[in-house]
Amino acid sequence: MEDSSASNGVSSSSGITDVTDLERYHVNGIPETAYYVPGFISEEEEAILLQRVYESPKPKWTQLSNRRLQNWGGHPHAKGMIPEDLPLWLQLCASKIAKLGIFGEKIPNHVLVNEYLPGQGIMPHVDGPVFFPVITTLNLGSHAVINYYTPADSTSAASSPTEKPLSDSTYQDVTEVEQPLSETQKRLDPRLVFSLLLQPRSLLIVKDDLYTRYLHGIYAVKEDVLDNKIANLKVCDKEVGTVMKRDTRVSLTIRLAQNTSKFKMSFFKTK
Ligand SMILES: O=C(O)CCC(=O)C(=O)O
Ligand SMILES: [Fe+2]
């Protein structure tokens, strides 16, 4: 008999069922809380998810200057979000992640699909306040190295007090803020605190300050040279100096948007 959940994406069962198990995946040696779960999904599940992403209607894609994306679950806005139901294949992903207990009793309701060709990246930014302060990323197709930078409001010597915080990548003005990618990267490099290698099929979970205050970004390069800033190199069984060629990477950023109904009411009141 065919397993309908598998044909729609990921099976909702998982070997990891509670937060106690999750502690095994805690990333050590970094100042904030992150979990890196290698092999969170199988190769079959990865292939099905990629198939679902690429069979989505063309208008679902938004082309940005250095990547393209699909937004599922409603459009985030500084004041909240009008929710839309996730398609079944994403609901299954969200349920599997919810079983880890990291969203309390809730199930994530928003998914951002980002596609990066080799040489593409995302400039350092913080995600918006619309979301519950846990961010989960499912990695498909290729690796990436994600960099974390000290917060713009940090008192560290490297940060400039005149600097404006960067906008949320999911906001409408993203195309404008993404133009000066290399300039921004150069300016922020002294503030790089640590990086994480994200292998295909892994799940990354970051929380609290790492989510709300640190900036995160991915270099726009065709290959990554692994260095000792990468906190999970050992877990990934990799060595400093290894060169990893990028292929096309698809990431699913799976989050819980809050205050959705409140926004709905005030939205209609102002019309
Ligand atoms: O692709 C990633 O892992 C990062 C995506 C991201 O930071 C975002 O969409 O806000
Ligand atoms: Fe982000």
Side-chain angles (χ1 to χ4, degrees):
M1 204 176 96
E2 202 196 326
D3 176 351
S4 68
S5 64
S7 64
N8 269 300
V10 296
S11 101
S12 56
S13 66
S14 161
I16 308 153
T17 47
D18 59 34
V19 184
T20 324
D21 283 331
L22 192 62
E23 285 307 316
R24 281 172 46 209
Y25 302 97
H26 183 264
V27 180
N28 296 321
I30 59 170
E32 305 293 336
T33 308
Y35 301 92
Y36 175 77
V37 188
F40 183 71
I41 56 166
S42 67
E43 283 186 27
E44 291 74 20
E45 289 171 333
E46 178 188 34
I48 292 165
L49 287 174
L50 284 169
Q51 195 185 326
R52 294 284 173 269
V53 167
Y54 285 111
E55 70 190 20
S56 299
K58 229 175 157 199
K60 205 58 205 166
W61 286 105
T62 302
Q63 184 68 54
L64 304 178
S65 57
N66 215 18
R67 72 196 149 94
R68 55 177 189 157
L69 62 84
Q70 294 176 5
N71 183 88
W72 295 96
H75 284 273
H77 182 277
K79 286 185 186 156
M81 190 180 86
I82 300 181
E84 286 163 13
D85 284 345
L86 289 175
L88 185 57
W89 58 282
L90 288 175
Q91 280 179 29
L92 289 166
C93 277
S95 304
K96 178 162 172 156
I97 290 168
K99 283 190 179 165
L100 301 174
I102 48 178
F103 293 97
E105 296 293 297
K106 301 257 170 70
I107 297 178
N109 57 5
H110 187 266
V111 181
L112 203 59
V113 177
N114 278 292
E115 181 206 54
Y116 306 83
L117 304 178
Q120 296 188 323
I122 185 165
M123 71 168 255
H125 64 282
V126 284
D127 294 348
V130 179
F131 297 101
F132 185 82
V134 173
I135 182 169
T136 63
T137 308
L138 196 51
N139 300 288
L140 311 174
S142 179
H143 80 278
V145 173
I146 190 159
N147 301 317
Y148 290 89
Y149 304 86
T150 47
D153 62 355
S154 163
T155 50
S156 110
S159 71
S160 149
T162 56
E163 207 157 44
K164 275 199 258 146
L166 297 166
S167 308
D168 178 6
S169 72
T170 59
Y171 289 176
Q172 296 301 323
D173 61 355
V174 69
T175 335
E176 273 157 41
V177 296
E178 278 203 295
Q179 293 303 333
L181 190 67
S182 57
E183 274 311 302
T184 310
Q185 277 177 186
K186 263 188 250 154
R187 183 165 57 80
L188 282 165
D189 262 2
R191 285 169 38 183
L192 178 66
V193 182
F194 68 93
S195 312
L196 294 172
L197 174 60
L198 307 179
Q199 292 277 54
R201 299 178 291 285
S202 69
L203 181 76
L204 171 70
I205 302 164
V206 308
K207 289 173 79 173
D208 306 325
D209 270 8
L210 202 45
Y211 170 83
T212 50
R213 293 184 60 233
Y214 281 65
L215 306 175
H216 56 279
I218 296 171
Y219 289 139
V221 294
K222 293 200 165 136
E223 57 185 34
D224 293 284
V225 184
L226 305 185
D227 62 28
N228 58 16
K229 285 268 184 189
I230 302 176
N232 63 338
L233 264 195
K234 271 221 179 86
V235 174
C236 293
D237 216 9
K238 296 282 179 199
E239 281 172 18
V240 169
T242 304
V243 179
M244 292 182 75
K245 280 211 175 325
R246 294 243 193 108
D247 206 334
T248 299
R249 170 174 177 261
V250 171
S251 67
L252 308 189
T253 303
I254 300 168
R255 300 179 278 202
L256 175 64
Q258 305 188 102
N259 302 325
T260 47
S261 54
K262 204 169 126 205
F263 174 65
K264 209 175 197 169
M265 281 169 64
S266 58
F267 178 82
F268 288 115
K269 242 190 251 167
T270 56
K271 284 259 138 182

